[in-house]
């Protein structure tokens, strides 16, 4: 129970950390707390990736773990005469989720101050406006300022300031559910860190890992990180969109509470069939619940990793998160735990697996 509480606290803290694309430092600094520095060494590169390697050289097949540390958010584009700010999205957002939501804006003092994505009161709308979806380019963030001078000089908010959703993670301990922001991909970051911890004494497999930056804006961090990393196989942890509240039961492939999702394909990649088959068979033998998915959309770092060098057999272990790319997500500790168990089992048995048969 004590170990479970440690993991819950880790997931909660990672969710609460501020780290939109390009500004992941708080997340990676926090992650350092859960890395065994007697077993692993870490280095940060200019892109904000955190590279993690075993200190002792291990013989055996090399496995690469990845999870992206950034979250979707915004960046201040311009400051208007009334002190409100226009902004651009970092990552994919639907305008329907934004109006009247709370945010935090970083100042030049590196402090985050509260703000609201302004919502025009219904009193000032005509009938057409009441039923019209606002556009992101027409929205502004209000930090309680009354002038451009006050925003820029007194509050010290400038152009280019990162903006994050203002949400604190809540844990429903009776059902082991997390309600919070940034679970795409902080739940994956937690799974990677816990996998490293449980596999720290493994002597038959060489393990390296990356907490990669800027995935939400085009898998940018992992592209540079792969100049520093190698692997015969790769496991990419993701916080992936749950579909059980949108699709009929027969079509739902990423349900909350039914285990991690193993994605055969999305618009960016096709999973290595041998690595996929090994994962599915191992999960069945070990009694680890998993789900299979085939997606027409989506994309992830696995697409970059599998195309590096002469090719790396890549598998995505996705932990279902309801309502990703919005202020609020819901995910399950049981799905996280099953993802970690599967990753550890794959690493443990990797020397015996035939990925080409």
């Amino acid at each position: 129970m004590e170990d479970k509480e440690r993991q819950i606290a880790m997931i909660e803290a990672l969710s609460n950390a501020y780290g939109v694309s390009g500004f992941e430092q708080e997340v990676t600094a926090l992650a350092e707390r859960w890395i065994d520095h007697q077993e692993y060494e870490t280095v940060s590169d200019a892109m904000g990736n955190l590279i993690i390697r075993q200190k002792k050289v291990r013989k055996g097949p090399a496995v690469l773990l990845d999870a992206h540390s950034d979250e979707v958010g915004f960046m201040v584009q311009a400051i208007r005469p009334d002190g409100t700010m226009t902004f651009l999205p970092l990552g994919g957002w639907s305008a329907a989720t934004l109006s009247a939501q709370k945010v935090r804006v970083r100042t030049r003092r590196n402090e985050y101050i509260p703000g609201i994505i302004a919502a025009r009161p219904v009193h000032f709308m005509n009938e057409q406006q009441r039923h019209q979806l606002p556009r992101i380019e027409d929205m502004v963030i209000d930090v309680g300022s009354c002038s451009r001078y006050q925003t820029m000089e007194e509050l010290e908010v400038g152009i280019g300031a990162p903006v994050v959703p203002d949400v604190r993670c809540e844990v429903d301990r009776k059902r082991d559910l997390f309600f919070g922001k940034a679970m795409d991909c902080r739940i994956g970051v937690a799974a990677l860190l816990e996998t490293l911890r449980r596999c720290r004494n493994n002597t038959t497999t060489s393990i390296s890992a990356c907490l990669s930056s800027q995935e939400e804006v085009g898998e940018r961090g992992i592209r540079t990180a792969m100049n520093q990393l190698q692997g015969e196989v790769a496991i990419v942890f993701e916080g992936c969109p749950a579909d059980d509240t949108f699709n009929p039961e027969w079509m739902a492939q990423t349900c909350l509470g039914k285990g991690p999702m193993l994605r055969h394909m999305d618009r960016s990649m096709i999973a290595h069939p041998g690595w996929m088959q090994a994962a599915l068979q191992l999960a069945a033998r070990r009694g680890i619940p998993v789900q299979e998915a085939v997606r027409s959309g989506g994309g992830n770092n696995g697409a970059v990793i599998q195309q590096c060098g002469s090719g790396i057999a890549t598998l995505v272990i996705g932990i279902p998160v309801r309502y990703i790319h919005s202020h609020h997500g819901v995910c399950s500790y049981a799905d996280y735990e099953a993802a970690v168990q599967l990753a550890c089992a794959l690493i443990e048995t990797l020397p015996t697996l035939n990925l080409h048969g």
Side-chain angles (χ1 to χ4, degrees), residues 90-151:
L90 295 173
W93 285 92
S94 167
T97 69
L98 295 183
S99 184
Q101 294 283 5
K102 292 175 64 180
V103 295
R104 291 264 165 179
V105 183
R106 198 175 82 172
T107 70
R108 288 190 291 271
R109 301 185 302 273
N110 291 327
E111 299 172 351
Y112 281 87
I113 63 173
I116 294 173
I117 299 177
R120 180 189 290 268
V122 67
H123 310 71
F124 304 135
M125 292 182 180
N126 58 36
E127 192 62 27
Q128 180 182 0
Q129 289 172 327
R130 292 185 186 194
H131 302 286
Q132 195 174 50
L133 182 67
R135 302 184 307 166
I136 293 178
E137 52 265 39
D138 295 329
M139 295 179 180
V140 296
I141 293 171
D142 188 338
V143 289
S145 170
C146 294
S147 69
R148 177 183 172 90
Y149 176 87
Q150 188 177 13
T151 297

Side-chain angles (χ1 to χ4, degrees), residues 263-278:
R263 187 181 299 176
H264 290 275
M265 70 166 283
D266 58 29
R267 67 180 177 185
S268 71
M269 68 171 286
I270 298 173
H272 186 278
W275 196 208
M276 172 66 78
Q277 183 181 41

Side-chain angles (χ1 to χ4, degrees), residues 6 10 28-43 50-56 58 192-202 207 209 211:
R6 176 189 58 79
M10 174 176 64
T28 52
L30 188 62
E32 295 266 12
R33 291 172 45 186
W34 288 286
I35 294 173
D36 184 344
H37 289 280
Q38 291 187 326
E39 295 294 328
Y40 300 99
E41 61 183 10
T42 62
V43 62
L50 183 68
I51 308 296
I52 308 165
R53 296 188 181 90
Q54 290 171 310
K55 287 185 175 179
K56 299 176 183 176
R58 305 293 206 276
L192 182 151
L193 294 171
E194 181 61 16
T195 298
L196 287 177
R197 190 191 73 84
R198 296 187 193 182
C199 293
R200 64 191 183 278
N201 296 321
N202 182 291
I207 305 171
L211 297 184

Side-chain angles (χ1 to χ4, degrees), residues 228-353:
Q228 311 165 65
L229 293 165
Q230 297 179 21
E232 296 170 49
V233 298
I235 296 172
V236 176
F237 293 100
E238 260 291 3
C240 59
D243 61 358
D244 51 346
T245 57
F246 302 106
N247 283 336
E249 183 180 0
W250 63 269
M251 185 60 178
Q253 298 180 333
T254 315
C255 303
L256 194 71
K258 293 188 177 181
M261 177 267 282
L262 303 183
R263 187 181 299 176
H264 290 275
M265 70 166 283
D266 58 29
R267 67 180 177 185
S268 71
M269 68 171 286
I270 298 173
H272 186 278
W275 196 208
M276 172 66 78
Q277 183 181 41
L280 291 170
Q281 291 175 346
L282 185 57
R285 289 199 302 271
R286 298 284 180 97
I288 301 171
V290 296
Q291 306 176 74
E292 298 176 69
V294 174
R295 294 293 188 222
S296 59
N300 60 81
N301 281 342
V304 175
I305 293 171
Q306 70 175 184
Q307 296 179 67
C308 289
S310 58
I312 298 174
T314 302
L315 178 73
V316 177
I317 299 181
I319 301 168
V321 181
R322 287 178 177 169
Y323 321 121
I324 69 169
H325 286 226
S326 74
H327 272 58
H328 307 276
V330 185
C331 59
S332 163
Y333 179 86
D335 293 334
Y336 152 87
E337 173 62 26
V340 174
Q341 288 183 14
L342 178 59
C344 290
L346 286 167
I347 292 170
E348 171 195 334
T349 60
L350 182 58
T352 68
L353 297 178

